[in-house]
Amino acid sequence: MTLVLITEILKQVKERLKSVIPSPKYELIVEPIQVESVESGKVVILVAGQKQAQWLQEEFLQELIRAFQLVLGEPCEVEIKVAPSTELKSAGEEVSSSAVPLSEVKAIKKPRPLLNPRFTFENFVVGDSNQFSYAASRAVAENPGSAYNPLFIYADVGLGKTHLLHAIGHHVLSINPEMSVVYLTSEKFTADFIEKVRAGKMNEFRLRYRQCDLLLIDDIQFIAGKTETQMEFFHTFMSSVDSGKQIVITSDAPPYDLKGIESRLVSRFASGLIVDIGSPGIETRIAILQKKAELESVTLPEDVLTFIAENVTTNIRHLEGALIRVLAFCNFSGAKCTLEVARKVLADMLSVTKGKRLLTMEEIITAICEVFRVPKNVLLSKDRRKKVAEARMLAMYIAREQTNLTLAQIGEELGARDHSTVSHGIMKSAILLDEDPYFKQLYQMIIRKLG
Ligand code: ADP
Ligand code: MG
């Protein structure tokens, strides 16, 4: 299997794991893993140290196997190996991106942000939905610190925020390799902050973030509710912008819709340029699939590409996910890549969304309550009993599939839950649907009820 394909598979596996393994265990133990090979029913994972290997083996082996099976669409075993010491950085040592091949990690001498090599402007397909964000990102990359500061990019998941953020980093470094560029998620910022406070190394922390020329912060929404981190980020922000350094921030919502974030930070976020990315239309979706296939060095029949683009409309990550699933299946099983194969491999993903009218939240909630025999007020309450929690998760999943509501809106309708709870709920339902025949039966009953 090619390195790029492996990288994509690993990315999807990590996404699944992130929704089931709580922070900071996920960041410490799972995020830094690399994959050495995926061959004939076996996945070999590389980790940096004995300790991490042991943790993974003891605590998360089952989750790992499950996640790989789901992504590969075939049973597999997982072997965990410790990499020779120079190959991998240990957790937290540097901003990590699993997508960088080991050979490149080795080659980097001075600390550089590990940007996904594929997330460049060249690989970004521009269409109606993203041309404004793209143009703003390019402008910032060409003139950091002067065009728009901060640049704030928001969009639903899987629409290209991280891609643009990395692209800015690549571009800035390609023009001036001496620039110091830091890329990280707000979760990593928080984790690093907590750790440096504990170790009494706040000076090091401040130096790192306040003195870099370009600070790329991904998914800022995750600092919601973290008051001390927000305060530190506020100072980082002020000191960077004041001294002409560029900040780019991404988020799943516009600044004024962010909950749990101090108002002075919100108004700073809004003080530069705010751009958003919408859902791509069919032409853009086809162009993205073509680009992706080209990057994998595979040629796929036209009808397979069109089939995927017509049927996967939610976001680009799902679009790529569908393509990768088809490619991985063909690679793994040796089958030829035809429309029939694509249909079969993607059947579970597509069966329900095709050609149906959109449902209302009210209809979904009513059906869920009937089938699970849970009263509506209990469904919307804080009740965490297994049955109730599962009913709620499934309601989230079906809402995502059958309505046009955003994660935040779905959460709002289901008892004022936040978007990350909804996102976890959807992921967990997807896993249960794959694994628990009873859960799947309930799901089918509900879908039938909903017509
Ligand atoms: P987000 O950060 O908004 O959740 P990502 O930036 O991770 O989304 O994008 C999800 C996937 O979709 C990535 O693999 C990315 O390369 C791809 N992608 C998103 N937008 C585009 C685009 N316009 N052209 C090509 N690939 C894209
Ligand atoms: Mg992202």
Side-chain angles (χ1 to χ4, degrees), residues 161-162 218-219 317:
K161 300 182 292 292
T162 301
D218 211 352
D219 290 322
R317 186 169 300 142

Side-chain angles (χ1 to χ4, degrees), residues 135-269:
S137 301
R138 273 215 94 108
V140 161
E142 262 142 38
N143 269 315
S146 52
Y148 313 108
N149 208 5
L151 174 63
F152 191 100
I153 306 173
Y154 74 90
D156 252 347
V157 297
L159 292 178
K161 300 182 292 292
T162 301
H163 190 136
L164 279 179
L165 212 51
H166 285 212
I168 295 172
H170 284 303
H171 194 83
V172 163
L173 285 170
S174 74
I175 292 175
N176 184 353
E178 293 311 311
M179 283 262 210
S180 85
V181 174
V182 172
Y183 163 84
L184 80 174
T185 62
S186 73
E187 287 155 304
K188 281 231 168 73
F189 185 87
T190 307
D192 197 21
F193 174 64
I194 294 171
E195 164 157 359
K196 292 295 189 308
V197 169
R198 210 186 45 208
K201 290 186 177 164
M202 271 313 284
N203 278 343
E204 205 178 285
F205 181 89
R206 294 196 170 126
L207 218 61
R208 177 167 161 73
Y209 297 110
R210 292 187 192 179
Q211 305 215 329
C212 63
D213 302 304
L214 174 62
L215 179 58
L216 305 166
I217 297 269
D218 211 352
D219 290 322
I220 196 71
Q221 70 271 12
F222 293 119
I223 62 166
K226 297 178 179 134
T227 325
E228 282 159 52
T229 308
Q230 285 183 31
M231 195 145 78
E232 188 56 37
F233 187 69
F234 180 76
H235 292 301
T236 305
F237 188 102
M238 295 305 282
S239 118
S240 302
V241 172
D242 279 352
S243 49
K245 320 217 171 216
Q246 177 72 45
I247 297 187
V248 186
I249 298 168
T250 72
S251 162
D252 66 348
Y256 35 87
D257 277 358
L258 286 169
K259 296 207 181 83
I261 295 193
E262 272 188 60
S263 58
R264 61 174 178 168
L265 257 186
V266 169
S267 60
R268 292 293 141 189
F269 292 164

Side-chain angles (χ1 to χ4, degrees), residues 8 11 15 116 118-127 129-130 134 153-166 183 218-219 250-251 277 280 284 287-289 291-292 295 315-321:
E8 285 301 320
K11 195 170 88 183
E15 254 162 45
N116 186 327
R118 310 181 84 201
F119 286 4
T120 58
F121 284 130
E122 291 69 39
N123 290 346
F124 192 82
V125 175
V126 185
S129 55
N130 58 28
Y134 171 82
I153 306 173
Y154 74 90
D156 252 347
V157 297
L159 292 178
K161 300 182 292 292
T162 301
H163 190 136
L164 279 179
L165 212 51
H166 285 212
Y183 163 84
D218 211 352
D219 290 322
T250 72
S251 162
I277 310 176
T284 311
I288 288 170
L289 287 174
K291 183 87 193 175
K292 195 82 189 168
L295 289 171
N315 67 45
I316 299 169
R317 186 169 300 142
H318 288 159
L319 195 65
E320 288 186 344

